[in-house]
């Protein structure tokens, strides 16, 4: 599936790099490069655009402000030098968030994801035109969280469990422990129900990482996670559906 693209950035060098990358990929067609959000708005009114590469820090209108007033958005890939905008960027349902200077392999990964999403959206529209959009957490295979004065990327496939700690949560991955200011409820909104389940007031587990179940406890590696009474019925239903005896 070919994608018609525009690139929006107030830096000419950044536009040159994106234009060069697009020229290397036969499934991308560059419609226009734009130096401002207002210029891009005009292009979107005149042309069919599937994908927009969008800088965030721009004069007149920032990339985020631009999206907030845009009614019919194409797929978005943010291109910026500032990692601090990552969480806000993904709240806009962006396909990806590329940090400058952008290496070609990350660019290729991002546009491949955009192509796959466009294909999924097309198939979903054919199968069920009136169906609601998928949950935002299922659109991405990762998220960004703020911890230790920086923004950290967390791949969902690496998460073992999540533990609530008053106003904070601990995200335990296979390689690190990340402590961030977030509630358990907000965390569940970001995660796919098909892959994660809350099993206790203080614990969310990755269903794919469960090694065994022992009475009212789940074992993931050396960790024992309790199953709360409030959550036991939902968890046992999942166990039954997956034929775990």
């Amino acid at each position: 599936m070919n994608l018609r693209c525009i690139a929006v950035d107030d830096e000419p060098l950044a536009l040159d790099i994106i234009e060069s990358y697009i020229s290397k990929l036969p499934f991308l067609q560059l419609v226009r490069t734009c130096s401002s959000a207002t210029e891009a708005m005009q292009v979107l009114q005149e042309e069919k655009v599937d994908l927009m590469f969008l800088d965030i820090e721009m004069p007149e209108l920032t990339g985020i402000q631009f999206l907030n007033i845009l009614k019919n958005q194409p797929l978005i890939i943010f291109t910026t030098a500032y990692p601090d905008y990552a969480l806000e960027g993904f709240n806009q349902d962006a396909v990806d968030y590329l940090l400058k200077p952008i290496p070609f392999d990350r660019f290729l990964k991002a546009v491949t994801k955009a192509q796959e999403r466009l294909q999924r959206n097309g198939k979903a529209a054919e199968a069920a035109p009136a169906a609601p959009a998928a949950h935002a957490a299922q659109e991405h295979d990762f998220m960004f969280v703020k911890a230790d004065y920086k923004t950290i990327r967390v791949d969902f496939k690496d998460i073992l469990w999540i533990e609530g700690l008053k106003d904070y949560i601990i995200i335990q991955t296979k390689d690190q422990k990340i402590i961030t200011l977030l509630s358990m409820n907000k965390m569940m909104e970001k995660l796919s129900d098909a892959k994660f389940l809350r099993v206790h007031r203080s614990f969310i587990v990755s269903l794919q990482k469960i090694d065994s179940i022992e009475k009212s406890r789940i074992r993931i590696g050396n960790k024992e996670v309790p199953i709360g009474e409030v959550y036991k019925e939902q968890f046992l239903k999942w166990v039954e559906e997956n034929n775990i005896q």
Side-chain angles (χ1 to χ4, degrees):
M1 179 179 289
N2 294 329
L3 281 72
R4 291 171 55 84
C5 313
I6 64 171
V8 188
D9 202 307
D10 62 319
E11 298 178 12
L13 179 58
L15 289 177
D16 288 344
I17 292 172
I18 292 174
E19 184 172 359
S20 172
Y21 285 174
I22 289 174
S23 69
K24 299 177 187 295
L25 301 172
F27 63 90
L28 296 183
Q29 178 185 346
L30 182 62
V31 175
R32 194 88 58 85
T33 59
C34 305
S35 59
S36 69
T38 52
E39 184 181 349
M41 187 177 296
Q42 183 67 31
V43 174
L44 291 173
Q45 291 173 352
E46 299 173 351
E47 301 279 357
K48 178 184 180 296
V49 175
D50 301 308
L51 175 63
M52 177 162 59
F53 299 94
L54 182 62
D55 188 21
I56 293 181
E57 281 287 348
M58 295 187 293
E60 297 180 356
L61 283 175
T62 68
I64 300 295
Q65 290 171 336
F66 177 40
L67 290 184
N68 287 336
I69 64 175
L70 199 60
K71 290 184 179 180
N72 298 314
Q73 297 181 12
L75 297 179
I76 304 297
I77 294 176
F78 284 112
T79 58
T80 179
Y82 303 98
D84 293 343
Y85 291 109
L87 289 177
E88 189 174 3
F90 279 104
N91 285 336
Q92 299 287 337
D93 198 26
V95 173
D96 211 334
Y97 190 100
L98 301 180
L99 286 176
K100 301 174 183 176
I102 302 168
F104 180 70
D105 63 321
R106 275 292 289 122
F107 181 87
L108 178 58
K109 182 177 180 180
V111 296
T112 301
K113 287 168 61 177
Q115 187 183 44
E116 290 171 351
R117 188 191 289 194
L118 195 62
Q119 289 173 334
R120 289 199 305 269
N121 290 348
K123 290 178 181 177
E126 291 176 7
H135 190 281
Q138 298 178 24
E139 292 287 349
H140 307 296
D141 55 5
F142 62 93
M143 64 181 174
F144 284 94
V145 297
K146 289 186 176 180
D148 297 328
Y149 304 101
K150 58 186 176 182
T151 301
I152 302 173
R153 171 177 169 143
V154 181
D155 290 327
F156 292 149
K157 64 180 177 60
D158 293 337
I159 297 175
L160 302 178
W161 69 82
I162 297 159
E163 183 176 355
L165 187 67
K166 293 186 178 180
D167 296 328
Y168 292 81
I169 61 169
I170 299 171
I171 302 172
Q172 182 66 56
T173 74
K174 60 182 182 180
D175 298 319
Q176 62 182 326
K177 177 186 292 185
I178 302 166
I179 301 175
T180 186
L181 180 61
L182 197 67
S183 71
M184 294 287 279
N185 289 338
K186 286 292 185 183
M187 189 67 208
M188 277 304 303
E189 290 177 7
K190 294 178 178 293
L191 299 171
S192 165
D193 293 338
K195 296 181 180 179
F196 294 88
L197 196 64
R198 190 168 184 178
V199 297
H200 187 274
R201 180 171 57 88
S202 300
F203 285 95
I204 298 168
V205 298
S206 169
L207 297 173
Q208 297 175 324
K209 298 298 192 299
I210 294 175
D211 293 317
S212 63
I213 303 162
E214 305 166 12
K215 296 182 179 180
S216 293
R217 293 189 175 273
I218 296 166
R219 182 174 290 277
I220 301 176
N222 295 324
K223 177 71 173 181
E224 284 192 350
V225 176
I227 304 171
E229 288 297 324
V230 174
Y231 304 93
K232 183 177 289 186
E233 182 178 352
Q234 182 183 11
F235 178 70
L236 293 179
K237 181 180 178 181
W238 176 82
V239 172
E240 184 178 349
E241 289 174 350
N242 287 272
N243 297 318
I244 300 176
Q245 302 299 328

